[in-house]
Amino acid sequence: MADASPLTTDGLVQILFGSSAFQMLNAGRNLGLFALLHRRPGLAPPEIGRELGLADRPVQILLLGTTALGLTRCEEDGYRNAEVLDSLFADDTWTIIEDLIEYEERIVRPAEVDFTESLRRNTNVGLRRIKGTGPDLYHRLSADPELEQLFYRCMRSWSRLSNPVLVEKAELAGVRRVLDVGGGDGVNAIALAQANPGVEFTVLDLPGTVEIARRRIAEHGLADRVSVRAADIFDDVYPPGHDCVLFANQLVIWSPEENVRLLRKAHAALPDGGRVLVFNAMADDSGDGPLYAALDNVYFATLPAASSTIYRWDQYEEWFAAAGFVKPERLPGGRWTPHGVISAVK
C-alpha cells in the first residue's frame, strides 16, 4: 500500500492551485531564478530583481510562490534554493529537469485541459491540440517538425533520468542481440550498448524516427553495434536473429489487448530461452500509488494514444502468460521515479 498521509487543508490548497504551483516552477526556470541562486546563494530581493530584470512587485510574487512551495528558502543572508534543487545542479540533473518543465509547458499542459473529456470518452481527446491527422501523437509529430524536435529532445531527457534503472536492471548476460521495439531515437539502445560492449542492438520504429536514431547512433560511434530498421511495430514482422526483445517506455502507450499482441509478436520472433524485457514507470498492484504514476496518467489518458496508461506490475505478468512467456521477474528501480524492469522467458 502507498504510504500517504491523510489529506490536510494545506494539501487541498496545493491540489486546488496545482496549475499555479507548476507556473511558479516554470517561471523560476524561465526567468533564471534557480540558476541565479545556485551561482550566487544568499541574494536579497532587490539584488534578485536587478539580476533577473524584474521590478519589485514581480520579484515579491515570484519569491513568495517559490518559497511557499519549498523551491527556495529565505534565510538571514537572503534567498537560497531548496537543497534538492542544489543537488540537482550539482550532479547535472537540473538540465534534465529543465527539459521536463518545458515538455510539461509546451506539450502536456495545452492538452491536459481535455483530461475530463478524455475520461468521459475513454480516449485521448487532447490529441486534437496537435497538428496532423494521425491516430496517435507519434504519427502526428512529423506534421510539426519543431514540435517533433522538442518531443524527442525531451524524451531523451526523460530517458536520461530513468535510464540508470534500465542499465542497472536489464540483465543481458548471455544475450547476443537485442531488438529494441519502438526504440525511438535510439536513446535506450545507446545507453545499453555503452554498458554492454559485447551486445548488438537493432532499433525498430517508424521511418522518420529511425532516421533520427541513425544520426544519434553515429554521433555516439556505435554504428557497428547498433543498427536501425524501419517498421510498423504492429503490422510488420519482427526481424529474426535476436535473443532478447526490449519494450522501453512503449507498453504504457497501448491497450492491454494491443500489448498482448505486441508480446505475442516478440514471442514469435524469439528462440526458445529468449527473453523479453519491459521497462517503464509502474503503478503499484494495490492501485493507490505511487503519486508520480497517478499524476503522470493525466498525460497518458489525454494525449499519446487512445488507451495509454501506466499499468500495474501484475498486469504485465498476466500479459506475459497470455503471450506464452514464463518465469516473470520484477526488478523495481528503487529511485524517486517508479521505473522498473519486468522480464520473462520464452
Side-chain angles (χ1 to χ4, degrees), residues 57 62-63 98 121 200 281 303 334:
R57 173 180 165 275
L62 180 61
L63 290 175
E98 285 192 306
R121 298 192 200 177
E200 297 181 0
L303 190 56

Side-chain angles (χ1 to χ4, degrees), residues 48-115:
I48 292 171
R50 283 194 296 273
E51 291 292 329
L52 301 184
L54 298 177
D56 290 346
R57 173 180 165 275
V59 169
Q60 259 189 341
I61 293 170
L62 180 61
L63 290 175
L64 174 61
T66 59
T67 306
L69 288 167
L71 295 166
T72 54
R73 62 189 194 272
C74 182
E75 299 182 349
E76 288 185 4
D77 64 342
Y79 283 84
R80 297 173 178 271
N81 284 332
E83 290 182 6
V84 67
L85 264 63
D86 277 331
S87 70
L88 294 173
F89 276 101
D91 65 11
D92 201 32
T93 304
W94 179 250
T95 58
I96 297 176
I97 301 300
E98 285 192 306
D99 277 346
L100 306 191
I101 294 170
E102 186 173 5
Y103 187 80
E104 291 290 316
E105 177 188 16
R106 296 185 56 189
I107 294 178
V108 179
R109 299 193 80 79
E112 72 179 7
V113 296
D114 292 318
F115 177 58

Side-chain angles (χ1 to χ4, degrees), residues 214-290:
R214 196 189 307 276
R215 292 194 297 270
R216 290 191 53 76
I217 291 162
E219 289 168 4
H220 284 81
L222 291 168
D224 59 330
R225 287 201 297 121
V226 185
S227 59
V228 302
R229 177 108 171 229
D232 185 296
I233 66 172
F234 284 101
D235 295 335
D236 295 327
V237 175
Y238 293 174
H242 300 86
D243 50 355
C244 179
V245 175
L246 169 67
F247 294 98
N249 298 309
Q250 185 64 219
L251 299 191
V252 290
I253 300 171
W254 314 112
S255 69
E257 295 77 17
E258 289 170 317
N259 285 342
V260 171
R261 181 180 167 193
L262 290 173
L263 289 167
R264 284 177 174 154
K265 287 173 70 70
H267 189 274
L270 285 168
D272 290 343
R275 262 178 275 175
V276 62
L277 303 175
V278 175
F279 168 71
N280 43 238
M282 305 285 187
D284 297 336
D285 290 352
S286 55
D288 58 1

